[in-house]
Amino acid sequence: LVSCAGSQSSPSYANAEHTSHLIRGCNTYNNLLKFISSIYFKMDSSEALRRKDEFKSKLVNDVFGKDNKGRVPMDKVMMLIWQFRDDPSVVQFMAHFVTKYAGRRDVFDGIEFYLPQLAHMIIHLEANWDDAILERFALIIAQHSLHFALQLNWILLGAIEDYQPEMPNGDVNESFNPLYYTRCIKLLGNIERCVVYGTPRKHELQRLYEKGQITKAEYDTMEQADRRFN
């Protein structure tokens, strides 16, 4: 590199042929540097991929391994969903897995704690998917918990403000995103329907009450019990 600088700044110290030789040498050296850098870049990429795969394997073991003693660590579940966010089949499997245990208080508390992350993935990831896997999961939880539904409702209202075409003062919203905005509007409507209509069991209770097979007090008690976490 010093020779390169010298050949360009002080040509009087060498004849034209020598200067040309140095320049060719500099070009070769620079090409060599690029080549070496590319090798290290590839090594870094492969190392990063290896570590990422190891992290994924550890997460899978932490969630499904025998050592967890039947626990469902929601922090690891959410990280698994995020790590495999490009594979809807894995996300679907994880959603079904969590839904199976969502009736447990510890699992529900974990789902509710990570609701902001879940909502982010529902809004931004599933917008380009063919199947609304995480949305259905969230709607199932919302049927059983008004508190969960209310929190998700607030998050969606905030996202609608973020992605709406205009600001409250009428100015153009630079963050306007028609895909996310439309999705949030639809999600909000689905959440409201879940709260109004409740679980499928609610319709059965309504039918029993209309036939006189249960009293109004029994109907209210069983409906409240069906919404497990309020």
Side-chain angles (χ1 to χ4, degrees):
L1 289 175
V2 174
S3 298
C4 291
S7 64
Q8 293 174 356
S9 60
S10 303
S12 59
Y13 290 108
N15 57 30
E17 182 178 354
H18 183 58
T19 303
S20 178
H21 173 72
L22 287 175
I23 292 174
R24 286 198 300 271
C26 289
N27 290 337
T28 303
Y29 182 72
N30 289 335
N31 290 336
L32 181 61
L33 280 178
K34 292 179 181 179
F35 176 70
I36 294 174
S37 298
S38 66
I39 292 176
Y40 277 106
F41 178 77
K42 290 179 181 178
M43 290 176 62
D44 291 343
S45 298
S46 62
E47 176 67 14
L49 289 174
R50 184 185 67 80
R51 291 185 178 182
K52 186 176 182 180
D53 289 339
E54 288 180 352
F55 180 65
K56 288 181 178 180
S57 298
K58 185 178 184 305
L59 286 176
V60 171
N61 184 65
D62 289 342
V63 175
F64 300 103
K66 296 180 180 179
D67 295 337
N68 65 11
K69 299 179 181 180
R71 294 182 298 105
V72 181
M74 281 305 302
D75 57 335
K76 306 296 177 59
V77 169
M78 295 304 297
M79 283 191 284
L80 260 179
I81 293 175
W82 178 254
Q83 289 293 326
F84 288 94
R85 60 189 179 276
D86 296 327
D87 190 342
S89 62
V90 175
V91 176
Q92 183 177 32
F93 174 82
M94 294 305 302
H96 290 167
F97 170 74
V98 177
T99 302
K100 180 180 177 181
Y101 296 97
R104 286 170 33 181
R105 183 78 215 194
D106 59 325
V107 177
F108 173 80
D109 287 344
I111 296 171
E112 193 171 45
F113 182 81
Y114 288 101
L115 177 57
Q117 291 86 346
L118 177 63
H120 174 83
M121 289 189 282
I122 291 174
I123 295 170
H124 299 92
L125 294 185
E126 285 192 338
N128 298 311
W129 288 0
D130 295 330
D131 195 8
I133 302 165
L134 293 176
E135 177 185 344
R136 285 201 304 273
F137 168 69
L139 293 178
I140 290 173
I141 304 301
Q143 285 180 323
H144 292 281
S145 171
L146 291 175
H147 189 252
F148 179 92
L150 182 59
Q151 290 187 86
L152 183 53
N153 182 82
W154 287 339
I155 292 174
L156 290 173
L157 287 174
I160 289 173
E161 289 186 5
D162 289 339
Y163 299 125
Q164 63 187 351
E166 295 182 354
M167 303 295 287
N169 60 3
D171 293 342
V172 176
N173 183 10
E174 295 181 357
S175 300
F176 170 58
N177 187 303
L179 179 62
Y180 297 155
Y181 177 71
T182 304
R183 176 154 179 75
C184 289
I185 293 291
K186 292 180 179 178
L187 283 168
L188 193 62
N190 290 338
I191 290 292
E192 292 173 352
R193 280 190 287 273
C194 280
V195 172
V196 171
Y197 296 114
T199 65
R201 177 174 166 77
K202 180 178 179 180
H203 300 289
E204 178 65 17
L205 294 175
Q206 181 71 28
R207 186 182 64 82
L208 292 175
Y209 172 67
E210 290 174 353
K211 288 185 176 182
Q213 296 179 2
I214 59 175
T215 65
K216 183 66 167 63
E218 290 173 331
Y219 171 81
D220 292 338
T221 300
M222 286 187 283
E223 183 191 17
Q224 184 65 28
D226 198 38
R227 293 188 184 274
R228 301 170 190 168
F229 310 114
N230 289 314

